[in-house]
Amino acid sequence: MAPPKEHIAAKARRPSAAQWGPAPYPVIVADRSGTLIDVNPAAAALLEGAAPGAPLARAVPSWLVRAHEETVREAAGQEGGPQRSGFRGEIGALSFEAHPSRGLEGHVVWWLVDDTDRRLAEEQLATERQRTTFLAEASNVLLASLNADRCMRVTAQLASQHLAEAAIVIAPASGRKLPMAVAVEGRAATHGTVTADPAEVPGLSEALQGFPPVPSRWIDPGLLPTWLIPEDFTGPVGSAAVTPLPGHGVPAGVLVLLRSAGSAEFKEHEEVFARLFAARAGAALSAARLYAEQSDITRTLMRDLLPPQLSRVNGVEFAGGYQPAAARDRVGGDFYDVHPGGAPGEPSLAVLGDVCGKGLDAAVLTGKIRNTLQALTPMADDHERMLRLLNGALLNSHHTRFATLVLATVRRTEHRVRLRLTSAGHPAPLVIRNDGRVEEVDTQGTLVGALPHIEARTVETDLQPGETCLLYTDGVTEARGGPLGDELFGEERLRRALAECVGMPGAAVVERIQMLASQWLHDGRHDDMALVAITAPPTNHLSAVDGHTRGRYTA
Amino acid sequence: MTDFPSSPFTLTAEAGPQTVRLRLAGDLDYDTSERLVERAVGCLAADPGPRELLLDCSRLRLCDSMGISALLMVHRATSSRGVGLRLESPPDFLRRILEITGIRELFGSDATGRQSEHPEDATVPAGAQQQPVPPPTPSG
């Protein structure tokens, strides 16, 4: 089919402006020396000074001049080969692709294609991709920590890097002080508090209250108080925005963005982006703050539940020791207390017990029992009554969490210590006599907190000077380990160990048993262990008693 | 039977004409005690309900305080319905816990008596040692 080819070739030999005159694209024709030969109306409208005969350099931007020179050079080298394309540049506010094609006598016909919209779309796509990546990274960084202060600093730093030149994160006030994190140009943020009135910044109070959620707002930079402008922020503030950080049902804080006078103002799409970032930062911040509040509450509760330091009360030595099962729960299911009598003559009440279960449930029950018993101290002479009242206070229709405990009413008379002991479902106390015997106190009773009726048998015994009564929880006797790894420490081993503690001060007995039980443990795992030693202090003339007492403890 | 460091807790039920026997095996503790309560309450809710619930403990390896709490919950459920409750062949450790905590009387004669040399022989025919109990009452 030769004719069509000849037809095209014939056309090319006779160029005419009429051919591209009505073309929808600007078309210019230039010769090898860079002089304009022809210009269609679209090109004439676009390019000022573009007319046949004018030098190309005067009519078109330099990028197109260079493109022309290059095209002419290449055309000389390879006759009839494909034209290079891919020239691109701006003409005025618009962006163009320039496509050359061969004309007669080495002329080059330039077709200019407006790609401004595509270019903008591409730029926006790249920006959006960048932002998505940034938001994903921001989430990772923000959620990596449950520390509220760190979260505020990271938020400020990220915002000052990606959203503005400076960013300030303000948290809801605690008292009259506003916690604040400040970052400039992506540098590490500083954190502190400022005593200031949020009402000084337009929109800040509303955003800190959070309800109803307020949109970000652009504020007049002239209205910004000096405390809000970071020290190392260069130059005057050109534009400022206040964006709330939404939290989980409560406002997590406010993000203030600052740009200097020299840089671009915030655009609408930037505001949307700032809100997306604020949503992530707010969620992370409020999670961190909720966690901090919760651990504060736990710490406060736990402080009250920690076993007390024991010492001498009304002429009687008390010593206590407690090892929770896991180091992280400092409060466990075991507890002890000593409530001194009101006056030196009145008895003191010692309590040691074990609550079923673990964790917060057990800790709450422990607190309840300890408070109730403290209130019942005035009736320390009637253990059965105390236990019935306690049982009634603990009974609960929806669970059978119970406690076992030992009550000891302790009264010093002259050199002896008189004990009234009652076990409520608890291992019986052991008494170390001065002659080396270890006696089990024959008291027994029902556990408390689960049954409507309970029984208890109180037993009285006296401690001579130097003798010790030990209350313990089954964490001690049920410590599992030993040479074979799976043997219980057991009551028999405990008795033998106590027999070697004759005449020791109570604190030394407690320490020794704790040490032996810990050594016994095979893999270090154990239940809570609590011990209380009640000791009749040795008197000076004890050193003369039968040689049983070890002189070193009687000085 | 091989002793595993931690034996899984299993419950098997055998329903007789008036008696349900639950066989407890493994560790009854913080993680498993709830299952015992649910299962026992489920057995009691059957229609017609049993007159006696037997808990066969011969293969129980461990029972911690939550396990005891579960046994007390089962006792509460049976006594409120007038159903008898008995522990069969409790191992020594369990017998001792029941003794110290003062609750062995709640769980029938096996829990108080000497442990049999052969726990399986101690299983009495259903109803043979049954104490007179009031007829089941609908739970409210």
Side-chain angles (χ1 to χ4, degrees), chain A residues 396-397 400 425 444 447 491, chain B residues 30 65 69 76 96 99-101:
Chain A
N396 185 307
S397 62
T400 44
Q444 233 208 344
L447 49 77
E491 209 174 300
Chain B
Y30 191 86
S65 60
S69 178
R76 189 180 277 184
R96 187 166 157 66
E99 181 84 26
I100 291 175
T101 51

Side-chain angles (χ1 to χ4, degrees), chain A residues 334-480:
Chain A
D334 288 6
F335 63 93
Y336 61 78
D337 271 311
V338 173
H339 304 298
E346 281 181 34
S348 306
L349 178 71
V351 188
L352 173 137
D354 183 354
V355 160
C356 115
K358 59 184 178 186
L360 198 57
D361 283 335
V364 168
L365 186 55
T366 304
K368 202 168 173 183
I369 292 170
R370 289 172 65 183
N371 284 348
T372 308
L373 287 174
Q374 181 169 19
L376 295 176
T377 305
M379 49 178 83
D381 278 329
D382 190 348
H383 287 177
E384 250 187 275
R385 194 163 160 227
M386 283 183 88
L387 290 171
R388 290 219 167 89
L389 288 169
L390 175 65
N391 188 53
L394 300 178
L395 265 188
N396 185 307
S397 62
H398 53 267
H399 64 66
T400 44
R401 286 178 179 272
F402 63 90
T404 70
L405 52 101
V406 178
L407 295 179
T409 298
V410 186
R411 190 194 309 257
R412 176 152 180 186
T413 51
E414 312 230 331
H415 296 308
R416 288 177 309 157
V417 169
R418 169 137 289 212
L419 290 175
R420 289 170 59 80
L421 294 157
T422 310
S423 155
H426 199 85
L430 297 169
V431 175
I432 314 168
R433 297 296 181 193
N434 281 331
D435 61 6
R437 281 178 299 129
V438 176
E439 288 175 6
E440 185 178 287
V441 180
D442 186 27
T443 165
Q444 233 208 344
T446 321
L447 49 77
V448 293
L451 298 164
H453 304 291
I454 59 161
E455 283 170 13
R457 183 172 69 234
T458 303
V459 171
E460 288 198 11
T461 189
D462 282 357
L463 297 180
Q464 301 297 328
E467 290 184 336
T468 291
C469 174
L470 185 76
L471 319 181
Y472 66 96
T473 57
D474 59 9
V476 178
T477 44
E478 282 173 18
R480 205 171 270 277

